[in-house]
Amino acid sequence: MALPLVVGVDGSDASLLAVDWAVDEAARLGLPLRLLYASLWERYEGAVSPDSPEDPSEEVMGENIVGSAAERAGRRNADVKVSSEMVPEEAVDGLLRASHNAFALVTGARGRGALKELLLGSVSLTVAARAHCPVIVVRGDKAGLDGTHERILLGAGEPSSCREAVRFAFDEAEARKCTLDVVRAWRCPAHETADHPLLVGEPAHYHEEQASTLLDALLHDVVVDHPSVRVRRTTVEGPARKVLLNRSAAADLLIIGARRRHGHFGLQLGRVGHTLLHYADCPVAIVPQRD
């Protein structure tokens, strides 16, 4: 049985956009959709008498949230199999637990909490940094959300952190029948040109060649497995976070890999991941590299 695409719902506008995006994604990939609402209503409202005719208000609100989300999903695509669940856990804990048995987790960029004005909600950021499966944070402009660019963008990092992301990106491009842009950013350390002021072009050429060689090595086997995917390889000088951020305006999904840390701290997102999750103009997928 296919693992489900799990969406964290909380009743916010951002989570409803995430539901819409996830329904379309589930339909493309032929996956079931699971709507998950996590809250500690049992802890905070456990003093309500079991004989009371009134349900605890937080539980009722949760039922309304998942019910409305399920109705919305059904209206968007009746062919997608949808299930819903409420769990008595903190949102982060509930989603991280679900990530052990999910194809991917989908969240909105903001929640309904007191800090909803933040660029990225704390739940989405924490889940993206610690989940055991890919996490897609649904954000960006209308064109990116609607998938009208017909282009997937993959930020090619080091092999130790992005081989799973490469395969995820090819699968996405194949399912969408769209172009896959694979971008490797490179930089020439300042001390190299400073030490050799008459050889400015040579260090830059070396680093560009290194970036191109890395792309070839990363893509070689996956290209063979996905012959129908149109791939455009690009090496660009500049900081990776700025290069990818600029190109996100012309993409329907931006994908990067993340290296898993051992112990409590989960994935290592780094500055690139944090920047893209906060500012990208399209949905962002963080794909963990399994050991």
Side-chain angles (χ1 to χ4, degrees):
M1 182 180 296
L3 292 175
L5 192 63
V6 177
V7 190
V9 297
D10 62 6
S12 65
D13 291 342
S15 80
L16 295 179
L17 285 177
V19 169
D20 291 345
W21 190 93
V23 170
D24 296 343
E25 178 78 348
R28 274 190 294 267
L29 302 179
L31 298 174
L33 186 66
R34 179 187 174 203
L35 308 175
L36 181 66
Y37 174 74
S39 172
L40 286 176
W41 75 87
E42 288 188 348
R43 173 184 299 178
Y44 300 127
E45 299 179 344
V48 175
S49 168
D51 299 325
S52 171
E54 299 294 331
D55 288 329
S57 59
E58 180 72 17
E59 185 174 3
V60 171
M61 183 179 71
E63 292 172 350
N64 290 336
I65 286 172
V66 295
S68 297
E71 289 180 10
R72 185 182 182 101
R75 290 195 302 270
R76 191 165 183 94
N77 192 323
D79 294 330
V80 173
K81 182 180 179 181
V82 180
S83 63
S84 59
E85 184 179 4
M86 295 172 56
V87 295
E89 296 181 88
E90 293 283 8
V92 167
D93 294 335
L95 289 169
L96 290 178
R97 186 183 302 277
S99 75
H100 288 277
N101 194 38
F103 171 82
L105 289 179
V106 181
T107 74
R110 298 176 180 84
R112 60 181 177 87
L115 300 179
K116 62 183 179 181
E117 72 280 0
L118 293 177
L119 292 170
L120 181 71
S122 61
V123 170
S124 296
L125 182 60
T126 304
V127 169
R130 294 174 55 193
H132 295 268
C133 67
V135 174
I136 299 104
V137 175
V138 177
R139 58 165 303 108
D141 59 23
K142 189 176 187 304
L145 292 172
D146 292 343
T148 59
H149 297 294
E150 299 184 347
R151 191 175 300 276
I152 298 295
L153 175 60
L154 169 64
E158 298 304 315
S160 62
S161 65
C162 74
R163 292 194 181 278
E164 295 287 340
V166 171
R167 294 196 174 275
F168 187 91
F170 270 83
D171 289 342
E172 278 289 332
E174 188 170 65
R176 294 169 182 253
K177 298 179 172 61
C178 72
T179 298
L180 174 61
D181 276 345
V182 185
V183 178
R184 169 71 179 184
W186 60 273
R187 303 190 73 179
C188 183
H191 69 83
E192 293 188 14
T193 55
D195 292 343
H196 306 280
L198 299 180
L199 301 175
V200 172
E202 293 187 12
H205 177 73
Y206 168 78
H207 288 287
E208 186 175 14
E209 286 293 317
Q210 288 290 100
S212 180
T213 299
L214 182 143
L215 276 188
D216 290 342
L218 272 179
L219 302 182
H220 181 269
D221 293 338
V222 191
V223 168
V224 173
D225 294 338
H226 297 79
S228 65
V229 175
R230 302 184 302 276
V231 182
R232 191 173 73 175
R233 314 175 190 206
T234 308
T235 58
V236 182
E237 183 179 10
R241 64 187 186 279
K242 291 184 179 179
V243 169
L244 295 173
L245 193 61
N246 290 338
R247 289 172 178 253
S248 71
D252 300 321
L253 179 65
L254 196 168
I255 301 167
I256 62 170
R259 185 170 66 252
R260 181 168 297 286
R261 286 176 172 173
H262 296 287
H264 175 72
F265 296 103
L267 300 181
Q268 182 174 328
L269 293 181
R271 296 174 66 186
V272 174
H274 278 271
T275 298
L276 299 177
L277 286 171
H278 281 86
Y279 297 105
D281 288 318
C282 68
V284 177
I286 306 291
V287 181
Q289 178 63 38
R290 298 178 178 86
D291 294 334

